[in-house]
Amino acid sequence: MTQLTDEELIAQWRTQPAPLLGLLHAFHDRDGYLSEEALRTIAKGLRIPLADLFGTVTFYHHFARAAGGLQAPRVCTGPVCSLRGGQELLDALQDQGATAMPCAGRCDEPVPILQGHTVLIAHNHNQLTNQPTDQPTLLPPPNPGHIEECVFREIRQPGRNTLNGYRATGGYEGLTRAVTTMQPPDVVEHIRLSKLAGRGGAGFPTGLKWKAVAEAPGSPKTIVCNADEGEPGCFKDRAILDYDPYAVIEGMTIAAYATGATRGFIYLRYEYPATFKLLEQCIADAYQAGLLGQQILGADFQFDLYVRRGAGAYICGEEGSLLNSLEGKHPFPRNRPPFPVTHGFEDLPTAVNNVETLASVPQIMRRAPEWYHGLGLNGHAGTKLISLSGDIQRPGNYEVPFGLPLKTLLYDWAGGPLPGRSIQAVSMAGLSGGFLAQDALESATIDEPSIRSKGSMLGAAGMIVFDDSRDMVAVAHNAMSFFAHESCGKCFPCRIGTQRLMERLDGVGPTNLDEWLAEVNDLGQTMKAVSACGLGMGAPLVVESLVRYFPERTKMHVERRLK
Ligand SMILES: Cc1cc2nc3c(=O)[nH]c(=O)nc-3n(C[C@H](O)[C@H](O)[C@H](O)COP(=O)(O)O)c2cc1C
Ligand code: SF4
């Protein structure tokens, strides 16, 4: 294939919406790195100050700045992979120029290595083997509780990730119903009555978000699918996108009809290269079939959809940061208010929704709203995908009804701990919610009120299991290192606080327990009170849960007594 010249690449991307990420990737893919000259050309072509572009590009992990950098292996050393030898693998691949990458969203698979656009696994710690990334391996197992599902309802149908297969299994019935029998406000009301709430972590009611976008002045309006999935221990969105991509595309199209949006973006994390190719194909096929573009399903309704790849930065999952990243700005979170519903992409009304939220929508639109909220237990509405990983017999993605006892998931559905072991702690919200342990594991149910009442949060619902062989101080230190690394640095309490907490978990600081506790408490309270986004607010929960559930181990750590 002939390579495009600089001028051709610029000409190709300059007229596209949200061009910077696409253009950077085009140069990066072509040259294997981003040279000084490439940055100068891009800055000139898109009229971005070179200094700003340099700052933005170097913020992302995956843009290589040295020749050959794209081909250097990047090894996952996230919290689950580090339980399985990720660090040792990284050390073994040093002679190939390997670098560490934070959680790559494959926590139920062997430690992944990203090289170029291929995901590899290693045998014997130095022989890399091509993983068949065009055949995703994460198909969720049949629901072990035999409980009615929403998101995973059709995902195991063969061919579901092709347009024909999707349509043959109920796909596009929801959009057809919406467009041919309902007015946009009725669709908003249908979703509101279903009690669907955001599955990306914050749990904001989806119907209310869409109503706000529909009623906000300004156009064009935008739907953004947040597929950044950077939270360690979360890999549910990848399963949906790999096996049921049209559910997300249909969900976005329904959202567009309901809100009056005419353009959409899927912001996909860099570490899912095969998913990127699949989505591009699916979108092309949907255009071909008249399910995207002008006059969708013959109605006076238009929606254009684009995929943009991130470049490796956890903070880009935060919606303000994501919008800045899409706009080609430095991906700091935005101050709020105003919120994206009125001032989102290009300062215009925008609905940012998680993959799981959007994938729920077509199934809800096929049925009555009561069907969806009735799926939950004990008055909780709907279902939640849980990504379960770590020291557990059957890791994977599970769709649970809200209100399910946590121990039912851990022991009955996922088989409990590995032979001869017991479960010591389970992280919540990926890592952002700290851990639950002891009695809380017995009594918690999987819903936000229950988990919050125990000092944690459910969030996007990654759960990492740690058995009794794990040192929880080391686990907490690993988690805090992640937050310190990924803090964007915009606000002082989080930038410095995550570093100080990481040091305190690494044996730096007071050796008197009361002094140590006063210090970490002060740091945590300040971070929670004044951090600008959820990263700085959530990180202290890691230390809080360590102190709450493992006081003896904390004391030994502080007093420098070996375990
Ligand atoms: C540090 C941080 C990281 C986040 N990462 C993600 C993410 O990877 N995916 C996601 O959907 N939401 C993420 N969120 C939540 C988004 O800001 C936003 O609430 C969500 O995309 C809205 O969609 P929903 O209403 O459908 O949940 C993150 C939030 C914070 C504070
Ligand atoms: S809380 Fe942390 S991650 Fe969030 S804006 Fe502030 S510095 Fe950035």
Side-chain angles (χ1 to χ4, degrees):
M1 209 167 70
T2 47
Q3 288 194 328
L4 296 184
T5 63
D6 288 6
E7 292 69 30
E8 286 168 334
L9 286 177
I10 299 280
Q12 186 182 59
W13 279 98
R14 193 169 27 207
T15 51
Q16 296 278 322
L20 179 63
L21 278 171
L23 188 54
L24 287 169
H25 279 301
F27 273 82
H28 195 242
D29 291 350
R30 188 193 66 182
D31 301 341
Y33 76 116
L34 285 174
S35 65
E36 186 88 27
E37 196 193 329
L39 290 187
R40 284 185 193 284
T41 308
I42 293 167
K44 199 166 155 215
L46 295 188
R47 299 182 185 187
I48 303 172
L50 182 60
D52 288 358
L53 181 63
F54 186 84
T56 301
V57 164
T58 52
F59 186 85
Y60 298 104
H61 305 311
H62 286 297
F63 282 136
R65 294 291 336 282
L70 178 60
Q71 285 307 323
R74 281 147 285 164
V75 181
C76 182
T77 53
V80 181
C81 287
S82 65
L83 302 178
R84 299 185 311 208
Q87 185 59 48
E88 292 76 5
L89 184 55
L90 174 64
D91 295 343
L93 294 174
Q94 280 305 319
D95 58 343
Q96 298 181 34
T99 52
M101 73 177 157
C103 181
R106 296 169 189 270
C107 313
D108 57 344
E109 296 180 5
V111 177
I113 301 154
L114 198 55
Q115 193 168 29
H117 298 300
T118 312
V119 180
L120 309 166
I121 53 173
H123 290 298
N124 303 326
H125 268 192
N126 51 20
Q127 294 226 300
L128 301 185
T129 309
N130 230 345
Q131 180 128 317
T133 48
D134 51 341
Q135 294 169 27
T137 54
L138 269 173
L139 185 63
N143 185 291
H146 307 291
I147 279 177
E148 190 170 5
E149 295 173 311
C150 170
V151 183
F152 283 171
R153 192 177 183 85
E154 312 287 351
I155 200 167
R156 304 173 197 92
Q157 299 276 5
R160 177 79 177 171
N161 62 4
T162 64
L163 187 51
N164 284 342
Y166 185 70
R167 292 187 101 166
T169 49
Y172 282 105
E173 280 179 11
L175 179 68
T176 306
R177 179 180 180 198
V179 170
T180 58
T181 68
M182 296 165 85
Q183 293 301 310
D186 304 332
V187 177
V188 171
E189 185 63 1
H190 189 96
I191 295 299
R192 190 186 70 76
L193 290 173
S194 77
K195 301 192 182 159
L196 175 67
R199 301 296 184 234
F204 191 84
T206 307
L208 290 186
K209 187 180 281 190
W210 291 8
K211 188 169 192 285
V213 174
E215 290 174 356
S219 71
K221 296 178 180 178
T222 305
I223 307 296
V224 175
C225 169
N226 188 341
D228 198 51
E229 190 156 63
E231 183 71 36
C234 285
F235 45 92
K236 66 186 177 71
D237 294 343
R238 184 161 78 89
I240 298 172
L241 292 167
D242 282 350
Y243 287 99
D244 210 355
Y246 284 104
V248 179
I249 294 170
E250 187 188 350
M252 291 183 79
T253 314
I254 294 169
Y257 179 72
T259 58
T262 51
R263 60 186 179 180
F265 298 96
I266 301 177
Y267 187 97
L268 178 72
R269 74 175 303 191
Y270 178 85
E271 293 82 350
Y272 296 168
T275 312
F276 176 65
K277 282 195 200 136
L278 177 67
L279 283 174
E280 287 213 309
Q281 185 60 53
C282 291
I283 289 173
D285 290 349
Y287 268 103
Q288 191 82 37
L291 294 164
L292 285 172
Q294 308 283 331
Q295 296 197 313
I296 294 171
L297 293 172
D300 182 20
F301 158 50
Q302 168 208 341
F303 183 53
D304 286 303
L305 182 56
Y306 312 87
V307 197
R308 292 289 177 268
R309 281 181 89 184
Y314 168 66
I315 198 60
C316 286
E318 193 281 332
E319 58 189 9
S321 173
L322 185 157
L323 291 168
N324 279 338
S325 176
L326 268 184
E327 288 181 18
K329 296 178 181 153
H330 194 84
F332 278 149
R334 296 177 174 179
N335 293 340
R336 303 173 340 152
F339 293 92
V341 288
T342 54
H343 295 75
F345 182 66
E346 294 179 341
D347 242 9
L348 290 163
T350 301
V352 182
N353 276 128
N354 172 254
V355 169
E356 181 186 345
T357 315
L358 290 162
S360 309
V361 167
Q363 297 291 358
I364 298 173
M365 288 309 301
R366 291 171 72 191
R367 298 172 177 82
E370 298 74 30
W371 167 80
Y372 181 72
H373 70 70
L375 294 178
L377 303 177
N378 302 323
H380 299 288
T383 65
K384 182 77 194 84
L385 300 189
I386 311 287
S387 297
L388 192 63
S389 63
D391 302 321
I392 189 87
Q393 300 251 12
R394 291 192 286 276
N397 284 303
Y398 295 90
E399 181 164 3
V400 306
F402 272 112
L404 186 80
L406 178 59
K407 63 182 182 188
T408 304
L409 171 68
L410 294 175
Y411 293 92
D412 300 347
W413 292 29
L418 302 175
R421 293 287 169 201
S422 58
I423 293 177
Q424 183 177 205
V426 181
S427 79
M428 293 287 123
L431 279 185
S432 299
F435 322 102
L436 294 188
Q438 299 164 4
D439 292 355
L441 291 180
E442 283 296 308
S443 56
T445 51
I446 302 176
D447 55 81
E448 204 64 71
S450 169
I451 292 174
R452 280 197 187 258
S453 75
K454 303 189 185 311
S456 183
M457 59 184 179
L458 180 62
M463 296 188 183
I464 308 171
V465 179
F466 300 96
D467 71 20
D468 56 337
S469 69
R470 307 297 177 187
D471 173 8
M472 291 309 293
V473 172
V475 167
H477 176 254
N478 183 307
M480 197 55 71
S481 308
F482 171 80
F483 291 124
H485 188 256
E486 296 300 321
S487 166
C488 77
K490 177 180 167 175
C491 49
F492 184 77
C494 167
R495 172 162 36 110
I496 304 297
T498 50
Q499 292 289 340
R500 292 291 95 88
L501 289 176
M502 178 179 72
E503 290 163 8
R504 297 302 168 266
L505 292 167
D506 197 25
V508 176
T511 53
N512 173 286
L513 184 64
D514 289 338
E515 280 178 37
W516 190 93
L517 288 174
E519 204 176 87
V520 299
N521 188 42
D522 186 34
L523 284 164
Q525 293 309 321
T526 309
M527 288 168 68
K528 284 195 206 171
V530 293
S531 287
C533 87
L535 190 155
M537 294 172 197
L541 294 180
V542 171
V543 187
E544 281 177 21
S545 51
L546 180 76
V547 171
R548 179 181 308 117
Y549 294 116
F550 303 97
E552 263 314 300
R553 178 67 191 97
T554 307
K555 190 166 189 290
M556 284 170 71
H557 164 74
V558 172
E559 294 174 354
R560 314 289 196 267
R561 287 185 285 128
L562 289 177
K563 193 185 172 197

